[in-house]
Amino acid sequence: MAFTAVLQSEWTKIRTVASTSWTLALVFLVTVGFAALFSATFDPNRLDAAQRATFDPTATSLSSMELGQLAMIVFGVLVVSTEYSTGMIRTSLAAVPRREHFLLGKMAVATALALAVGLLTSFASFFLTQALLGDLGIGIGEENVLRAVTGAGLYLALLALFCMGVAAMLRSSVAAISVLVPFFLIVSNLLVGFEATRTVGQYLPSNAGGRIMQVVPHAFDSPETPYGPWGGFGIMVLWTLAAVLGGYAVLRKRDA
Amino acid sequence: MIELEGLTKRFGTTTAVDHLSFRIRPGVVTGFLGPNGAGKSTTMRMMLDLDNPTSGTVRVYGKHYRDLSEPLKHVGALLDAKAMHGGRSAYNNLLCLAQSNRIPRQRVDEVLDLVGLTAVAKKKSKGFSLGMSQRLGIASALLGDPEILMFDEPVNGLDPEGILWIRNLMKGLAAEGRTIFVSSHLMSEMALTADHLVVIGQGKLLADLPMADFIQQNSRSYVRLRSPQQERLKDLLHEAGINVVSVPATGTLEIDGVSAEQLGELAARHQIVLHELSPQRASLEEAFMRMTADSVEYHAHAPGMAADNPARPADVPAWGAAHTATRKAGE
Ligand SMILES: Nc1ncnc2c1ncn2[C@@H]1O[C@H](COP(=O)(O)OP(=O)(O)O)[C@@H](O)[C@H]1O
Ligand SMILES: [Mg+2]
């Protein structure tokens, strides 16, 4: 079976359901909207000396991703789990019985789309915020800034893929969303918040992967990390790989 | 074509399919008959490689289904009419399936037309009635113009018009020389459409024979007797070497292979009063119910129903066993 045929089929699937457009539109609107709101109301006089020294205008553009990523989680989950909730999975697998083709095709198409939306979101957010920050703003040509902004787009794509893997393991929208949203929104932040759990917390996918978005090392009083931006990203890649393999194992083993 | 060998599926402690072996013959309609819960759907899911067998194999053209390249061009199936993404239009649901098997786009329009859904092609399929969903499912089965078609209880829940439509469609597809495998829990439905019968009960093969043979074996007539001197009558019949079956539910005796005249005369000779002496013809539905009586999970407790009667030795012809044996010998 031609893999390109599967890609084409999955592209048709993804572009013909409403959930794709509203989740991805939310990723963009929430991220860009909150970044704009935050920088438009930003008052540099409220910063103390230390904060001023580590002020990271790039991170200011990208911090709203914390919220925007929730919609990306939903996107990643729904791409996979609606196959199960609608019963389409049986029709899909009867047409493409090779599980690796089916899953890889779906993940490739959805991840590519998430990457496109992710990059669009991070660049739009960056340029809009920097314009609003005025004198405090920074150019894309400054050291490490391009890496951080591109990295934010990569982060969103990887996050979507991670969620697809988890959804393939759990096979239910409700189960996957109710595990992933609290995990990314609360658990990840909570664990790095406490000294005792920080080392563990720093290795969670969003904390490790998010390091790529920082330009100034200790911006916003963030703690020291045992890895650099790409090292952190690599950790998130490993998490994602594990989720994808887990999802594939479940798809292979369990009855459709 | 399609061959099942020792196919077995267990869900926890339930054995849904139990060492099932049979072959689907090309170019005919094979009816897959069994009471609810017999394991028909599970068997069909395993045929499409959706459920993993606990043991045994299914071969389609000698291959595992998973190894068929572009399977929709060989096998089309309608298992569950609702197995589509409801938020997607009928057209797009079919388009993504067509693309995965490199089926040209115009074929989507063709099959939509064939099942009469052209007018609602752009509508989301979640608004479809069961009849329309069934048509959409059939359109998806026909997409690849496959040689083999499988339908799981296609008439369930349909209105009479829908039922008629499906029956005619299947006849038309069979007339084109396609192989059709269709399940049902109703003998009467099968009698109308199938050329060949595979009967299962509790996951086990009970019969595998041409429809004509089934009808011939089961449209046999028998004579029903009722008498206030039933015990004496029974003894007499035994002495005469006549096989008798008592049906406690109705208080009657049933006799095979002896005419009503002979029985009447025999009773008269011994001065036995008869309250009933009537030639009967067994319906196919009754024959099927008797056949699966031991294997239905929940008996219907309607008095006098054949399913409530103990299976009678005379009524269990060597269907499954003997027939399979002859076939094997002939191969
Ligand atoms: N996914 C499942 N999990 C557990 N038991 C199942 C599952 N699917 C079917 N069964 C059981 O297997 C048996 C056969 O079911 P099924 O194949 O649906 O029968 P039929 O289609 O002939 O009505 C039933 O006892 C049913 O309860
Ligand atoms: Mg069934």
Side-chain angles (χ1 to χ4, degrees):
Chain A
M1 176 177 299
F3 186 61
T4 50
V6 179
L7 290 177
Q8 199 185 12
S9 157
E10 289 298 333
W11 172 242
T12 300
K13 278 188 192 171
I14 211 165
R15 70 175 175 78
T16 55
V17 289
S19 59
T20 305
S21 23
W22 69 255
T23 47
L24 294 180
L26 269 182
V27 171
F28 183 87
L29 293 175
V30 168
T31 307
V32 178
F34 277 97
L37 194 70
F38 184 48
S39 42
T41 58
F42 182 73
D43 178 7
N45 298 323
R46 282 211 311 258
L47 296 179
D48 60 32
Q51 282 172 334
R52 199 182 293 263
T54 62
F55 179 66
D56 186 346
T58 316
T60 308
S61 296
L62 303 176
S63 58
S64 58
M65 219 153 253
E66 187 81 13
L67 289 171
Q69 69 173 355
L70 298 179
M72 192 56 101
I73 292 172
V74 176
F75 167 76
V77 167
L78 290 185
V79 162
V80 172
S81 65
T82 51
E83 287 272 354
Y84 290 95
S85 60
T86 57
M88 181 75 186
I89 185 76
R90 288 186 178 154
T91 310
S92 295
L93 289 179
V96 184
R98 288 222 159 263
R99 306 304 195 250
E100 65 277 19
H101 286 194
F102 169 74
L103 195 65
L104 277 184
K106 183 177 287 297
M107 287 176 162
V109 167
T111 307
L113 185 60
L115 179 64
V117 173
L119 289 172
L120 188 74
T121 302
S122 63
F123 277 92
S125 188
F126 176 79
F127 287 117
L128 183 64
T129 322
Q130 299 313 316
L132 289 169
L133 283 174
D135 290 346
L136 286 168
I138 195 171
I140 190 86
E142 302 283 325
E143 202 181 0
N144 293 332
V145 172
L146 185 60
R147 182 260 291 153
V149 180
T150 313
L154 289 173
Y155 170 86
L156 282 178
L158 207 53
L159 174 71
L161 183 56
F162 177 79
C163 295
M164 290 177 227
V166 172
M169 283 192 269
L170 298 177
R171 315 206 308 173
S172 140
S173 316
V174 176
I177 290 175
S178 53
V179 166
L180 288 167
V181 169
F183 179 72
F184 280 97
L185 197 64
I186 302 164
V187 178
S188 297
N189 290 324
L190 220 54
L191 289 187
V192 281
F194 294 105
E195 201 85 52
T197 53
R198 182 161 302 150
T199 7
V200 179
Q202 281 178 332
Y203 285 96
L204 293 182
S206 60
N207 295 325
R211 175 68 179 80
I212 202 165
M213 296 181 232
Q214 277 182 27
V215 173
V216 181
H218 299 289
F220 300 115
D221 299 324
S222 60
E224 187 88 42
T225 52
Y227 41 74
W230 290 107
F233 195 72
I235 292 169
M236 190 178 176
V237 168
L238 291 180
W239 275 97
T240 306
L241 212 59
V244 169
L245 287 175
Y248 175 63
V250 169
L251 181 66
R252 251 191 104 87
K253 213 168 152 59
R254 291 201 43 192
D255 294 335
Chain B
M1 236 359 36
I2 299 188
E3 277 176 284
L4 282 70
E5 218 186 293
L7 198 64
T8 302
K9 179 70 180 181
R10 274 189 281 275
F11 294 107
T13 55
T14 325
T15 303
V17 177
D18 198 355
H19 294 91
L20 205 52
S21 301
F22 64 87
R23 229 158 23 95
I24 298 179
R25 286 152 191 75
V28 300
V29 180
T30 299
F32 190 32
L33 191 61
N36 283 326
K40 303 180 294 295
S41 300
T42 306
T43 303
M44 290 170 112
R45 286 199 303 274
M46 286 193 284
M47 291 168 109
L48 295 176
D49 205 0
L50 296 172
D51 282 15
N52 303 309
T54 306
S55 63
T57 53
V58 181
R59 302 241 163 209
V60 184
Y61 294 108
K63 289 182 181 176
H64 284 295
Y65 185 86
R66 208 168 284 206
D67 294 329
L68 293 174
S69 75
E70 296 168 356
L72 296 186
K73 292 178 180 172
H74 304 289
V75 185
L78 167 69
L79 297 194
D80 172 7
K82 293 284 179 189
M84 292 281 174
H85 193 305
R88 206 176 272 138
S89 69
Y91 181 88
N92 285 328
N93 264 313
L94 293 177
L95 180 63
C96 64
L97 293 172
Q99 286 172 330
S100 70
N101 279 241
R102 292 196 297 182
I103 295 162
R105 189 181 269 263
Q106 86 228 29
R107 179 71 186 156
V108 174
D109 297 311
E110 271 173 40
V111 293
L112 279 168
D113 193 43
L114 203 72
V115 300
L117 286 181
T118 308
V120 291
K122 303 286 176 202
K123 292 236 160 68
K124 287 185 180 182
S125 64
K126 71 175 145 214
F128 284 11
S129 65
L130 178 62
M132 286 159 85
S133 301
Q134 207 84 352
R135 283 165 192 256
L136 180 58
I138 287 173
S140 80
L142 294 174
L143 259 184
D145 198 12
E147 206 176 318
I148 307 171
L149 286 156
M150 289 177 30
F151 300 112
D152 191 9
E153 309 241 11
V155 301
N156 250 18
L158 292 189
D159 55 13
E161 192 195 350
I163 293 176
L164 198 64
W165 182 78
I166 299 249
R167 265 185 215 149
N168 289 333
L169 179 94
M170 283 199 289
K171 277 186 195 144
L173 292 167
E176 292 170 13
R178 290 181 217 262
T179 301
I180 296 175
F181 187 63
V182 53
S183 76
S184 177
H185 64 277
L186 294 173
M187 181 67 224
S188 51
E189 189 55 40
M190 291 285 94
L192 287 168
T193 39
D195 307 305
H196 194 93
L197 262 190
V198 171
V199 185
I200 63 168
Q202 286 193 339
K204 290 192 187 68
L205 187 71
L206 297 179
D208 178 358
L209 78 178
M211 192 69 200
D213 291 6
F214 183 87
I215 290 173
Q216 204 212 336
Q217 286 171 18
N218 292 290
S219 56
R220 60 159 187 98
S221 43
Y222 62 94
V223 177
R224 184 190 288 162
L225 284 180
R226 202 146 49 85
S227 164
Q229 296 155 274
Q230 211 189 76
E231 286 313 310
R232 230 194 113 210
L233 181 59
K234 252 163 95 174
D235 291 343
L236 273 175
L237 292 167
H238 279 308
E239 278 163 32
I242 296 168
N243 223 338
V244 188
V245 175
S246 340
V247 185
T250 49
T252 56
L253 302 176
E254 291 183 2
I255 293 116
D256 262 341
V258 184
S259 72
E261 288 84 351
Q262 283 173 293
L263 291 169
E265 281 158 20
L266 183 78
R269 268 204 304 281
H270 294 89
Q271 302 198 321
I272 289 176
V273 177
L274 292 183
H275 287 171
E276 182 179 352
L277 170 65
S278 59
Q280 301 282 329
R281 188 164 276 272
S283 77
L284 294 178
E285 205 70 52
E286 275 176 336
F288 164 59
M289 290 203 299
R290 269 201 298 271
M291 189 176 207
T292 56
D294 292 333
S295 65
V296 283
E297 285 181 84
Y298 307 101
H299 289 267
H301 285 288
M305 263 180 66
D308 268 318
N309 301 333
R312 299 171 288 176
D315 282 339
V316 186
W319 282 325
H323 195 80
T324 322
T326 8
R327 214 180 73 243
K328 284 226 173 93
E331 273 168 5

